[in-house]
Amino acid sequence: MTIALGLEHESYKYVLGVLHKFKVPFDEPKDIRLTCGKNDRAAAQLLIYSEDEMLVGVNGEAAFYERGPIDVLRVSVEVPGLSQGRINAKLIGLVEDDDRQLKSDMILDQGVIHVEKKRVQPVWVEVEIDADAKPGVYRPEISVYRHRMFEDEVLVGTLAFEVRVLDLELPRPADYSFYLDLWQHNANIARKYDVVLWSDRHFAIMEGYVASLAELGQKAATVVVSEVPWSGQGSAFDRVDPANMFEYSIVNVTRRADGEWAYDFGALNRYVELCEKHGIDSEIEVFGLLNIWVIEDAGYGRVIPDLDDAVRVRYYDERSGTYKYIKDKGELARYVSALEKNFIDQGWIGKVRILADEPADLERFRGRLNALRVMAPSFQYKVAINHAEFIKEEGLLDHVPSLDCVAEEYDELMALKQGKEGKTLFYVACAPLLPNTFIASHLLESRLLPWMAWQFRLDGFLRWNYTVWPNDPLNKISYHYPFFPAGDTNFVYPGRDGKPMLSLRYKLLQKGIRDFELLARYVREGGDREQLELRLRKVFLWNDVKELHPNARKRREELFSLNEEDYEEIVAGVLEALAGVGVAGKS
């Protein structure tokens, strides 16, 4: 029997697919050398392969296989000089991509997994470096032990990688300058855990998801204040496997028996306070009041006849004992005005942004915007756009062009943003195909996106997904292909214990945001930006930003490096320069 062990970079993605030869599918263990600061992380992947089926465990618990005696392998990680509580070894789960192949993505919470014969089991090994860690070189040692039934364990092998810690403390995620905006879809969380929307149990579960966002440095809290603003993401048109992706209002509206209106903002305020508790306190992004998605063929049209937008506010009518929708523009104005007053009373109005998602007709959008301004004069606005012309529009504070728009109209975007007070981010969604964060994407693309924000002199990155899961995400994340490539809808998975299961894409995005902070800090502290940009040419392989547009038909290897060592070398140079032991632009 053959058991093989390998060591790979954190961006490694195992594929169990159509060309699966019966041999060890990885090379000799990589020589991995990572440079970190304090309050930082370092990670690698252990690969385990056996010619026979096996159980692989990472938490030291006893394990037996229900079908009979098989090998049980245990992974143990120690880092001499660091406390055990800061060392994590977690099993990596495979998910089915749109091409029907199984690919690494889930970072599992379970301690033991059954692995079929001639299949690799990847293990995520991560070392957290405390703020008070001593500078120096650490060598995480990964030992794998084997036994069967009641035998004593025997050592299969030991692998190690190097982590060099410099005397430089990185900021907490809450203090990051990188502006991350991942939209939260909290009604979907309630559905997956079968809990009452906005109940105490729902809030308890949401806290784990908010905490995971905070670990990335998330800046914005998402609230939805009307019904189904995205009209189900077009799921009604999927006649094969539609999914429930509806988002419902966090505000409870009642028309009392005396004809007066009552608005319950309790859940909204509670969610904002929950986000603030975890350091997500820069922005409250409000969906459901502007540029509602209309899908007339499926029945998702306008509700208020004299309003040129499809705002859908549901209320309970005490007189009739029935639920209805506001159909009068004046009654909508009362609701919007009350919402504005709530934000003012809470002291939040300065960080409220009314969101518009991909408006297409500028003239029509202008009319919708003006109508809302009359209802609530103190609101400020943020818009995700596909065309640079929207930046010219007066009254829009924050702008988020798509990557396609950045690639096609970069010079115009840079000119138009001059003198603007708000933030300018960029986003990717179901397009472009690369760089992106799909299951099919190279994992380094998730790390690359924050680097691109720095290169393009933008404030950060936005994505519409975090938990927009299809109906059974733990078993089938592929959904509505080719419109939504697998992974387009999520960065985390619904863990069975009520907490999010992270993904490799989450981890590489986290690494890229940390890299952005280092690049930005280097320049702030007097580093030569031009020299650093020259150094980045080892990662950014395009000659003209227009090559990033899909029309250029470039392959990923023509646009950016797929060698993780190129990224690590640049970051190590920046860390050394900041710590006073090197020069960022060294070759």
Side-chain angles (χ1 to χ4, degrees):
M1 182 191 68
T2 298
I3 296 177
L5 305 179
L7 195 62
E8 268 287 358
H9 289 286
E10 59 191 312
S11 62
Y12 174 81
K13 182 176 292 188
Y14 174 58
V15 178
L16 181 64
V18 296
L19 187 60
H20 190 68
K21 296 180 180 179
F22 293 158
K23 65 178 184 179
V24 179
F26 49 81
D27 300 325
E28 291 296 314
K30 294 278 194 306
D31 181 18
I32 297 177
R33 301 171 185 270
L34 305 174
T35 302
C36 297
K38 297 188 289 186
N39 197 29
D40 201 356
R41 302 168 185 266
Q45 289 189 42
L46 166 69
L47 308 179
I48 306 175
Y49 172 89
S50 176
E51 292 180 345
D52 296 313
E53 64 179 332
M54 59 182 170
L55 294 180
V56 176
V58 293
N59 61 3
E61 293 180 358
F64 290 82
Y65 183 49
E66 58 268 29
R67 293 185 180 275
I70 62 174
D71 282 340
V72 179
L73 275 66
R74 178 175 65 88
V75 178
S76 174
V77 183
E78 293 184 356
V79 185
L82 293 181
S83 61
Q84 282 297 112
R86 310 299 287 176
I87 303 162
N88 297 303
K90 291 203 169 187
L91 300 165
I92 295 174
L94 309 186
V95 299
E96 185 178 298
D97 200 356
D98 299 311
D99 61 6
R100 304 296 303 276
Q101 299 189 100
L102 301 179
K103 300 175 183 178
S104 298
D105 194 48
M106 292 183 186
I107 299 179
L108 303 173
D109 289 325
Q110 68 197 64
V112 179
I113 192 170
H114 174 260
V115 185
E116 66 186 72
K117 63 182 180 180
K118 297 181 172 64
R119 169 171 167 168
V120 172
Q121 178 54 52
V123 179
W124 178 262
V125 179
E126 182 174 79
V127 180
E128 298 179 22
I129 311 298
D130 285 324
D132 59 356
K134 293 182 179 179
V137 175
Y138 298 85
R139 290 189 61 79
E141 296 176 355
I142 307 168
S143 299
V144 179
Y145 299 89
R146 168 191 165 276
H147 83 282
R148 181 179 288 240
M149 297 302 288
F150 306 107
E151 299 172 345
D152 294 341
E153 287 185 329
V154 295
L155 181 66
V156 176
T158 300
L159 302 176
F161 60 101
E162 181 180 289
V163 179
R164 181 169 59 121
V165 178
L166 300 182
D167 191 12
L168 176 76
E169 185 173 345
L170 274 63
R172 300 176 306 121
D175 298 326
Y176 283 173
S177 61
F178 184 82
Y179 206 92
L180 179 67
D181 183 6
L182 302 181
W183 294 350
Q184 299 114 64
H185 293 71
N186 289 320
N188 210 340
I189 292 176
R191 276 192 294 276
K192 294 302 176 287
Y193 292 100
D194 197 22
V195 297
V196 175
L197 192 64
W198 316 127
S199 63
D200 289 345
R201 180 61 182 143
H202 186 201
F203 270 92
I205 293 171
M206 285 192 294
E207 180 157 13
Y209 286 83
V210 169
S212 69
L213 282 163
E215 284 296 308
L216 294 173
Q218 170 77 8
K219 300 299 185 186
T222 301
V223 293
V224 177
V225 297
S226 71
E227 308 301 338
V228 297
W230 291 281
S231 298
Q233 303 288 353
S235 62
F237 291 145
D238 191 324
R239 310 313 298 166
V240 177
D241 186 25
N244 185 343
M245 291 186 169
F246 296 108
E247 284 301 311
Y248 297 110
S249 179
I250 198 169
V251 180
N252 188 23
V253 181
T254 302
R255 190 165 197 176
R256 300 196 301 253
D258 61 5
E260 293 299 315
W261 291 88
Y263 311 106
D264 182 358
F265 300 115
L268 184 156
N269 295 343
R270 182 178 178 183
Y271 184 69
V272 173
E273 289 166 354
L274 175 62
C275 290
E276 288 182 333
K277 171 185 171 183
H278 289 274
I280 303 174
D281 58 4
S282 296
E283 178 184 332
I284 303 167
E285 51 188 6
V286 180
F287 288 93
L289 297 181
L290 182 62
N291 203 63
I292 307 306
W293 286 17
V294 172
I295 308 177
E296 294 281 6
D297 291 350
Y300 299 100
R302 286 193 293 168
V303 176
I304 302 173
D306 57 343
L307 180 74
D308 185 29
D309 210 340
V311 180
R312 304 143 183 164
V313 178
R314 184 175 182 255
Y315 68 94
Y316 181 71
D317 183 10
E318 288 185 345
R319 287 180 180 174
S320 65
T322 61
Y323 283 96
K324 301 178 180 180
Y325 283 85
I326 289 178
K327 297 182 176 66
D328 178 80
K329 186 176 179 181
E331 292 173 350
L332 175 66
R334 292 189 189 95
Y335 170 60
V336 174
S337 179
L339 182 65
E340 177 190 39
K341 183 177 184 303
N342 175 72
F343 285 129
I344 292 171
D345 291 346
Q346 296 293 328
W348 295 332
I349 192 65
K351 56 186 177 184
V352 170
R353 300 291 184 272
I354 307 301
L355 262 289
D357 189 5
E358 296 185 339
D361 185 325
L362 180 57
E363 191 60 37
R364 193 171 187 184
F365 175 71
R366 184 177 293 134
R368 293 170 175 174
L369 192 62
N370 290 336
L372 199 53
R373 284 180 180 143
V374 172
M375 299 179 191
S378 60
F379 279 160
Q380 300 183 90
Y381 296 87
K382 177 177 177 179
V383 58
I385 56 176
N386 288 318
H387 308 286
E389 63 177 343
F390 281 89
I391 293 185
K392 303 175 187 176
E393 188 65 16
E394 290 297 322
L396 297 177
L397 185 63
D398 299 321
H399 304 85
V400 191
S402 67
L403 180 56
D404 287 359
C405 180
V406 173
E408 191 170 35
E409 304 178 86
Y410 181 71
D411 291 338
E412 186 175 2
L413 283 167
M414 291 299 103
L416 289 171
K417 76 185 286 287
Q418 296 302 315
K420 293 282 186 179
E421 292 183 5
K423 302 287 186 184
T424 304
L425 319 180
F426 82 100
Y427 76 93
V428 297
C430 50
L433 288 179
L434 58 98
N436 214 307
T437 63
F438 307 135
I439 303 299
S441 303
H442 195 292
L443 277 170
L444 281 173
E445 294 175 44
S446 293
R447 185 176 184 180
L448 180 81
L449 290 166
W451 289 46
M452 294 173 68
W454 186 86
Q455 176 72 8
F456 295 144
R457 290 173 165 79
L458 300 174
D459 296 299
F461 174 68
L462 178 151
R463 216 179 188 293
W464 73 287
N465 70 326
Y466 197 63
T467 60
V468 200
W469 305 298
N471 290 339
D472 190 12
L474 295 182
N475 294 307
K476 185 181 180 184
I477 199 60
S478 178
Y479 168 69
H480 208 28
Y481 180 77
F483 187 71
F484 293 147
D488 189 24
T489 60
N490 71 303
F491 271 117
V492 296
Y493 294 84
R496 291 186 175 91
D497 62 352
K499 297 180 181 178
M501 283 196 305
L502 306 183
S503 68
L504 295 179
R505 294 170 295 128
Y506 172 105
K507 282 295 182 182
L508 269 293
L509 178 66
Q510 184 180 47
K511 188 71 169 285
I513 294 169
R514 165 264 203 180
D515 297 339
F516 177 101
E517 292 302 310
L518 291 171
L519 298 175
R521 179 173 174 179
Y522 172 75
V523 174
R524 284 198 310 270
E525 296 186 5
D528 189 324
R529 178 168 184 132
E530 289 186 3
Q531 287 298 317
L532 185 53
E533 287 183 345
L534 286 174
R535 186 69 180 140
L536 289 176
R537 301 306 304 165
K538 194 168 186 177
V539 165
F540 300 140
L541 306 182
W542 63 82
N543 295 310
D544 188 308
V545 66
K546 288 183 169 55
E547 294 177 42
L548 288 165
H549 195 279
N551 290 344
R553 300 181 182 277
K554 293 287 187 177
R555 302 187 307 275
R556 56 173 49 90
E557 58 268 25
E558 295 178 289
L559 293 174
F560 43 85
S561 171
L562 302 180
N563 180 3
E564 185 159 338
E565 292 175 352
D566 291 338
Y567 296 74
E568 290 298 327
E569 183 181 340
I570 292 169
V571 172
V574 170
L575 278 163
E576 290 168 354
L578 290 170
V581 297
V583 180
K586 71 176 184 179
S587 58

mmCIF file of all heavy atoms in Angstrom, residues 42 116 186 260 302 310 322 520 540 546 565:
data_model
loop_
_atom_site.group_PDB
_atom_site.id
_atom_site.type_symbol
_atom_site.label_atom_id
_atom_site.label_comp_id
_atom_site.label_asym_id
_atom_site.label_seq_id
_atom_site.Cartn_x
_atom_site.Cartn_y
_atom_site.Cartn_z
ATOM 1 N N ALA A 42 -0.016 32.796 8.094
ATOM 2 C CA ALA A 42 0.739 32.075 7.072
ATOM 3 C C ALA A 42 0.084 30.719 6.880
ATOM 4 O O ALA A 42 -0.313 30.073 7.856
ATOM 5 C CB ALA A 42 2.196 31.910 7.495
ATOM 6 N N GLU A 116 -12.023 8.139 -0.537
ATOM 7 C CA GLU A 116 -11.975 6.956 -1.393
ATOM 8 C C GLU A 116 -10.547 6.708 -1.882
ATOM 9 O O GLU A 116 -9.692 7.603 -1.833
ATOM 10 C CB GLU A 116 -12.912 7.126 -2.586
ATOM 11 C CG GLU A 116 -12.485 8.234 -3.545
ATOM 12 C CD GLU A 116 -13.505 8.487 -4.631
ATOM 13 O OE1 GLU A 116 -14.572 9.056 -4.329
ATOM 14 O OE2 GLU A 116 -13.216 8.112 -5.783
ATOM 15 N N ASN A 186 -29.311 38.311 4.112
ATOM 16 C CA ASN A 186 -29.606 37.659 5.384
ATOM 17 C C ASN A 186 -30.873 36.817 5.373
ATOM 18 O O ASN A 186 -31.022 35.909 6.195
ATOM 19 C CB ASN A 186 -29.670 38.712 6.492
ATOM 20 C CG ASN A 186 -28.293 39.265 6.817
ATOM 21 O OD1 ASN A 186 -27.321 38.522 6.863
ATOM 22 N ND2 ASN A 186 -28.194 40.568 7.021
ATOM 23 N N GLU A 260 -53.507 55.462 10.780
ATOM 24 C CA GLU A 260 -52.131 55.936 10.889
ATOM 25 C C GLU A 260 -51.145 54.798 10.584
ATOM 26 O O GLU A 260 -51.461 53.617 10.707
ATOM 27 C CB GLU A 260 -51.874 56.481 12.296
ATOM 28 C CG GLU A 260 -52.645 57.752 12.615
ATOM 29 C CD GLU A 260 -52.284 58.896 11.677
ATOM 30 O OE1 GLU A 260 -51.070 59.093 11.433
ATOM 31 O OE2 GLU A 260 -53.206 59.567 11.175
ATOM 32 N N ARG A 302 -43.917 46.965 -11.599
ATOM 33 C CA ARG A 302 -44.189 48.063 -10.670
ATOM 34 C C ARG A 302 -45.431 47.766 -9.837
ATOM 35 O O ARG A 302 -46.382 47.139 -10.300
ATOM 36 C CB ARG A 302 -44.367 49.369 -11.427
ATOM 37 C CG ARG A 302 -43.062 49.954 -11.956
ATOM 38 C CD ARG A 302 -43.273 51.378 -12.415
ATOM 39 N NE ARG A 302 -44.139 51.439 -13.598
ATOM 40 C CZ ARG A 302 -44.678 52.561 -14.078
ATOM 41 N NH1 ARG A 302 -44.474 53.702 -13.460
ATOM 42 N NH2 ARG A 302 -45.423 52.541 -15.155
ATOM 43 N N ALA A 310 -39.905 50.182 -9.129
ATOM 44 C CA ALA A 310 -40.712 49.040 -8.704
ATOM 45 C C ALA A 310 -40.584 48.765 -7.212
ATOM 46 O O ALA A 310 -40.514 47.608 -6.791
ATOM 47 C CB ALA A 310 -40.326 47.802 -9.511
ATOM 48 N N THR A 322 -55.427 41.906 6.768
ATOM 49 C CA THR A 322 -54.719 41.328 5.624
ATOM 50 C C THR A 322 -53.439 42.101 5.353
ATOM 51 O O THR A 322 -53.276 43.249 5.775
ATOM 52 C CB THR A 322 -55.586 41.365 4.353
ATOM 53 O OG1 THR A 322 -55.910 42.729 4.033
ATOM 54 C CG2 THR A 322 -56.870 40.561 4.539
ATOM 55 N N ALA A 520 -0.082 49.774 0.345
ATOM 56 C CA ALA A 520 -0.497 51.147 0.636
ATOM 57 C C ALA A 520 0.356 51.759 1.751
ATOM 58 O O ALA A 520 0.749 52.934 1.679
ATOM 59 C CB ALA A 520 -1.980 51.160 1.017
ATOM 60 N N PHE A 540 1.472 41.520 -12.749
ATOM 61 C CA PHE A 540 0.578 42.083 -13.758
ATOM 62 C C PHE A 540 1.254 41.987 -15.115
ATOM 63 O O PHE A 540 2.212 42.727 -15.395
ATOM 64 C CB PHE A 540 0.264 43.548 -13.445
ATOM 65 C CG PHE A 540 -0.416 43.763 -12.114
ATOM 66 C CD1 PHE A 540 -0.063 44.834 -11.312
ATOM 67 C CD2 PHE A 540 -1.410 42.907 -11.678
ATOM 68 C CE1 PHE A 540 -0.687 45.047 -10.096
ATOM 69 C CE2 PHE A 540 -2.042 43.112 -10.457
ATOM 70 C CZ PHE A 540 -1.677 44.184 -9.664
ATOM 71 N N LYS A 546 -6.798 47.812 -21.194
ATOM 72 C CA LYS A 546 -7.869 47.312 -22.073
ATOM 73 C C LYS A 546 -7.750 45.805 -22.325
ATOM 74 O O LYS A 546 -8.731 45.165 -22.724
ATOM 75 C CB LYS A 546 -7.872 48.082 -23.388
ATOM 76 C CG LYS A 546 -8.387 49.516 -23.273
ATOM 77 C CD LYS A 546 -8.428 50.217 -24.618
ATOM 78 C CE LYS A 546 -9.196 51.530 -24.537
ATOM 79 N NZ LYS A 546 -8.701 52.454 -23.519
ATOM 80 N N GLU A 565 4.892 32.141 -5.846
ATOM 81 C CA GLU A 565 6.174 32.652 -5.373
ATOM 82 C C GLU A 565 6.436 34.071 -5.868
ATOM 83 O O GLU A 565 7.125 34.845 -5.202
ATOM 84 C CB GLU A 565 7.290 31.704 -5.804
ATOM 85 C CG GLU A 565 7.223 30.353 -5.086
ATOM 86 C CD GLU A 565 8.245 29.358 -5.595
ATOM 87 O OE1 GLU A 565 8.898 29.665 -6.611
ATOM 88 O OE2 GLU A 565 8.383 28.281 -4.984
#
